[in-house]
Amino acid sequence: MNVMSSVMRGARRLVHAIDPAPLTNFLSLPRLSPAGSPAPLLTCQQNRKLASKQRKDQKTQKVKVKVDKQEVEIRQKMTVAALAAAMKKDFDHVLEALLNTPVDLDALTPDSVLDERWIKEAVTRSGMKFRWAKLSESRERANRDVLPRPPADPSRLTPRPPVVTIMGHVDHGKTTLLDSLRKSQIVSTEAGGITQHIGAFLVQLPTGERITFLDTPGHAAFSSMRARGANATDIVVLVVAADDGVMNQTVESIQHARRANVPMIVAVNKCDKPQADPQRVKQELLAHDVVCEEFGGDVQAIHVSALKGDNLLALAEATVALAEVLELKAEASGAVEGLIIESRTDRGKGPVTTAIVQRGTLKRGCVLVAGRSWAKVRFLFDENGRAVSEAGPSAAVEVVGWKELPSAGDVFLEVESEQRAREAVEWRSYAEEQQKLTEEQSAIELKQKLHLDQYRKQREGLTHLSWRQRKSALYRENRQQFAIRPSEKTQREGRSLPLIIKGDVDGSVEAILNLLDTYDAQQQCELELLHFGIGDVSENDVNMAQTFAGSIYGFNVAASRPIQQLAARHGVPLRLHNIIYKLVDELKDELSSKLPPLLSENIATCGHAEKHTERD
């Protein structure tokens, strides 16, 4: 203060010596200055007051500043893991936040669902604040599927040729019978002399009638093909060899025809053989409720010889007569509907299907939907490979133009545009995905419930202990289990046979997969299906088989020389067959080699047991 006073006195003397007016104005109290004039200067006392006021304001502002709490988005029925992820913490933090609460911490797992009260409690105890998540309104997707048309007006129906399926046991002469009817040699082109695909043929009889025949395989492996043929037909011709009688696939064919509610005609074949006994065949059929006309039933039985062509006209007349009784009619106009009986991949044509038109007229340029695939028809071919412009009801044609290969047995429907076809396929894929998700969710909930029940059962004897004591006891109990590394758990144990299946058509692959489904020794040797598909063996198949130490089985497919060399170099077994029973036999042999040896002890006794016993 003394220094400041002396400075002020010195300043006054200096001002008085020069001009006292400006300094007097400066040191006087501040006055309001007119607008536009500069603000008056403050005295030192006023400066001190202003500085102290600013310091007080700063202190007040520091006190008012609040730290923003972390905001956690919560929702109802949150799991512990979901809550920990929303809080950006770990599972143990949530357990610590719920200490000293009625929540049973021992029963909590990352998948345990918390009540709303404890979700809020855990967030609040963690020094955070919560806010409810906005409910996302999931709009229900509109159903864009394609459905068949309603039944047509009877006045618009016109007669159509019958669709006849030839069924029976393997090697009973079904294809030879069809060859004799259409004057062809299909048997000579079949591997092993047996039919292994569904064949569709249009036969025009000498009388002018037209019949569409479906030739189905007779081997036991092709049960699904026979069922598909029965569902697509109007009449079933059951071929039974007169020298062999009723066999297993004969009985199965009868069951397929009954299930599809289709009338039958029995063709007793091979009547030209010396050991033929047609009467025995008819009597054996009685045991399966197939009563022929001569026994008072309604089933026609025709004695034929497919090899020599005997009595085939009588069989054709019986088929035509039965078709007239059934009064088969269809609508030849409007959108096309039909059934896919076989599908395959052709190297030059791409995906190709064999289809039977059931309604409407199929033409080039039609847009079709079948399963989860669609097509714009580019070409139509008959059974002889000739291009045709259209196909009416009951006609069997090959359809070229599919974007993806549909499954055999799918119903195809015509739509108005490619856009509509895409919408239908997308909807079907979405519906199938939703169904799969629902099934998986049910399986997950069931597994969680079983796990929780097992968890509580293991901890029933520890309820009297504190939380830390229970945790310590569980650690000591499961110490050895905790020490196992996850990599050691994933090692393959036991015997297994990984397989890759390739076939020429969808029906062949389906037949092999059905065979694999009958395998019932999974506990001794696990049969693992790595991949299946249609087409020749590729490099990816070999690489996959090498990775999993598996085998490749191909039916009626080829493998190029580089692929064969690659498989030999990697030690991958490549087993290609064109006869189904040879493939089945080799698969059985490989499975038998993987199974453990069966040890048995045989005790042989000679003479009287009380006198002499010999043990091998």
Side-chain angles (χ1 to χ4, degrees), residues 37 107-108 119 150-151 168 233 237 338 419-420 425 468 484 572:
S37 61
L108 285 184
I119 294 174
T233 191
V237 174
Q419 177 63 29
R420 183 69 184 90
V425 170
R468 293 187 180 278
I484 301 176
V572 175

Side-chain angles (χ1 to χ4, degrees), residues 120-157:
K120 295 179 180 179
E121 186 73 17
V123 174
T124 306
R125 287 190 175 194
S126 301
M128 307 175 187
K129 59 181 181 180
F130 60 85
R131 63 179 175 86
W132 287 103
K134 293 182 179 179
L135 296 176
S136 58
E137 298 180 1
S138 58
R139 294 185 302 172
E140 188 174 350
R141 193 166 178 175
N143 189 338
R144 299 293 296 164
D145 200 2
V146 183
L147 300 176
R149 292 182 292 155
D153 186 2
S155 61
R156 302 178 60 183
L157 301 180

Side-chain angles (χ1 to χ4, degrees), residues 504-543:
D504 57 340
V505 296
D506 184 73
S508 300
V509 177
E510 181 186 16
I512 299 173
L513 295 182
N514 290 339
L515 277 175
L516 298 181
D517 287 340
T518 61
Y519 179 70
D520 57 356
Q522 291 283 358
Q523 296 178 349
Q524 300 177 10
C525 178
E526 183 180 359
L527 187 62
E528 186 178 0
L529 183 62
L530 300 177
H531 171 68
F532 63 89
I534 300 171
D536 292 344
V537 180
S538 64
E539 183 178 352
N540 291 334
D541 299 329
V542 176
N543 293 334

Side-chain angles (χ1 to χ4, degrees), residues 272-326:
D272 56 319
K273 286 192 171 183
Q275 61 272 31
D277 189 358
Q279 287 299 119
R280 179 175 66 90
V281 171
K282 298 175 187 178
Q283 291 173 357
E284 290 177 354
L285 288 173
L286 290 173
H288 303 284
D289 296 331
V290 178
V291 184
C292 299
E293 289 180 339
E294 60 185 270
F295 294 117
D298 56 353
V299 177
Q300 301 180 72
I302 312 297
H303 300 177
V304 298
S305 172
L307 189 63
K308 294 185 176 181
D310 296 342
N311 216 20
L312 293 183
L313 185 58
L315 177 62
E317 290 175 351
T319 304
V320 172
L322 183 56
E324 290 177 355
V325 172
L326 296 176

Side-chain angles (χ1 to χ4, degrees), residues 63 81 97 105 148 199 207 249 262 268 410 434 463 475 492 539-540 567 577 587-588 592:
V63 173
L105 298 180
T207 55
Q249 274 63 63
V262 176
V268 184
D410 286 344
Q434 292 301 311
T463 53
Y475 175 76
R492 185 183 295 272
E539 183 178 352
N540 291 334
H577 297 276
L587 180 58
K588 287 180 179 178
S592 300

